[in-house]
């Protein structure tokens, strides 16, 4: 199994998760992060660190789409291991529905 980043990270990107990952398997896009499913060792320590509750285990229902999403972009984006400021307007965006269709950017983030 693996953990994955899901929709509510988009436009929030708190980055609390990256500091606790023992294998540095978070990758940064312009407005969200992803986890590389083949690098994640399923330790679970990142899940409670996310203020947006965006990190889920792939054992939950309907996670296949998110595993493929995380795999695809982790192979294109730079690694991120250090916490940075969340996105501008993160508080208003936290919990907003439809963020994947409305806001997701395929552009890479800056990484570390
Ligand atoms: Fe990293 Fe563990 Fe989270 Fe996987 S579950 S991304 S290994 S902190
Ligand atoms: Fe995103 Fe949560 Fe990490 S909002 S950047 S998965 S702490």
């Amino acid at each position: 199994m693996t953990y994955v980043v899901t929709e509510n990270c988009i436009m929030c990107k708190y980055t609390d998760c990256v500091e606790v990952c023992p294998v540095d398997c978070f990758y940064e896009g312009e407005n969200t992060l992803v986890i590389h499913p083949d690098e994640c060792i399923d330790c679970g320590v990142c899940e409670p660190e996310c203020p947006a509750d965006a990190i889920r285990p792939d054992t939950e229902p309907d996670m296949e789409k998110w595993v493929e999403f995380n795999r695809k972009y982790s192979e294109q984006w730079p690694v991120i291991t250090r916490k940075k400021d969340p996105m501008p307007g993160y508080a208003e965006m936290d919990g907003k529905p439809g963020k994947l269709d409305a806001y997701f950017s395929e552009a890479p983030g800056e990484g570390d």
Side-chain angles (χ1 to χ4, degrees), residues 24-90:
D24 296 342
C25 64
F26 282 91
Y27 295 82
E28 185 182 15
E30 185 176 24
N31 61 25
T32 194
L33 298 194
V34 288
I35 291 168
H36 196 307
D38 297 336
E39 295 176 0
C40 173
I41 59 170
D42 313 330
C43 70
V45 299
C46 58
E47 182 185 359
E49 297 297 321
C50 176
D53 201 22
I55 300 176
R56 315 299 328 155
D58 72 347
T59 48
E60 290 189 358
D62 304 322
M63 281 293 130
E64 294 84 3
K65 162 186 157 181
W66 288 107
V67 173
E68 288 320 303
F69 180 95
N70 278 246
R71 183 185 305 283
K72 176 178 178 180
Y73 292 105
S74 64
E75 288 168 358
Q76 299 178 21
W77 293 348
V79 71
I80 173 170
T81 64
R82 275 174 268 164
K83 181 171 168 55
K84 54 180 74 171
D85 289 341
M87 302 281 299
Y90 67 91

